[in-house]
């Protein structure tokens, strides 16, 4: 009898790309470490805004918005309602931070829903 091929861990980060299986429900914590031009560490302050937006073919599929922070982190909760928006395929995501002005932290990173 042959071995059964098992699924890879989901979600996972592999070669700089974020993967998960269609329909999976999960939460993932992202730690955000910002520094000034003088290499001074800047903490996230309640009232600031962090947005994580997911796109497919230039269409926004889902956006997480945060203005309260714990340990300089945010928690992306892919509940059943959020997860069902992501069909099998390739997506991109953007992370932006707004304090006084807007700063892009991550631009056009890839996601693959398997």
């Amino acid at each position: 009898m042959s071995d059964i091929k098992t699924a890879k861990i989901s979600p996972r980060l592999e070669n700089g790309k974020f993967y998960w299986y269609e329909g999976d429900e999960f939460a993932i914590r992202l730690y955000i470490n910002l520094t000034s031009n003088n290499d001074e560490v800047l903490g996230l302050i309640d009232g600031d805004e962090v947005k994580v937006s997911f796109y497919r073919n230039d269409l926004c599929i889902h956006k997480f918005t945060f203005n309260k922070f714990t340990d300089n982190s945010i928690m992306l909760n892919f509940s059943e309602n959020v997860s069902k928006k992501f069909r099998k395929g390739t997506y991109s995501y953007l992370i932006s931070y707004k304090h006084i002005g807007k700063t892009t932290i991550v631009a056009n990173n890839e996601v693959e829903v398997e």
Side-chain angles (χ1 to χ4, degrees), residues 68-108:
K68 295 200 179 290
F69 310 98
T70 303
D71 298 326
N72 284 331
S73 69
I74 56 175
M75 181 74 76
L76 304 181
N77 184 11
F78 286 82
S79 64
E80 179 181 1
N81 287 336
V82 173
S83 187
K84 70 182 177 185
K85 295 177 182 180
F86 292 87
R87 303 278 186 201
K88 186 176 179 179
T90 303
Y91 300 81
S92 63
Y93 67 96
L94 169 91
I95 302 175
S96 64
Y97 168 70
K98 187 174 182 182
H99 176 66
I100 294 170
K102 179 185 167 196
T103 301
T104 300
I105 300 171
V106 171
N108 301 318

Side-chain angles (χ1 to χ4, degrees), residues 6 8 17 22-23 31 33-37 40-41 54 56 59 62 77 83 100 105 111:
T6 59
K8 291 184 177 184
K17 192 173 182 179
E22 184 177 353
Y31 291 91
N33 297 308
L34 303 172
T35 56
S36 70
N37 291 338
E40 177 186 351
V41 176
F54 290 85
R56 186 166 191 187
L59 254 161
H62 188 77
N77 184 11
S83 187
I100 294 170
I105 300 171
V111 168

Side-chain angles (χ1 to χ4, degrees), residues 42-78:
L42 306 172
L44 296 174
I45 300 168
D46 285 352
D48 289 352
E49 184 178 80
V50 173
K51 288 185 182 179
V52 182
S53 306
F54 290 85
Y55 297 90
R56 186 166 191 187
N57 301 325
D58 295 327
L59 254 161
C60 186
I61 301 301
H62 188 77
K63 184 180 297 181
F64 294 96
T65 303
F66 304 91
N67 59 18
K68 295 200 179 290
F69 310 98
T70 303
D71 298 326
N72 284 331
S73 69
I74 56 175
M75 181 74 76
L76 304 181
N77 184 11
F78 286 82

Side-chain angles (χ1 to χ4, degrees), residues 19-33:
Y19 292 85
W20 71 84
Y21 291 104
E22 184 177 353
D24 282 2
E25 299 171 38
F26 58 93
I28 188 162
R29 182 174 299 279
L30 298 178
Y31 291 91
I32 299 174
N33 297 308

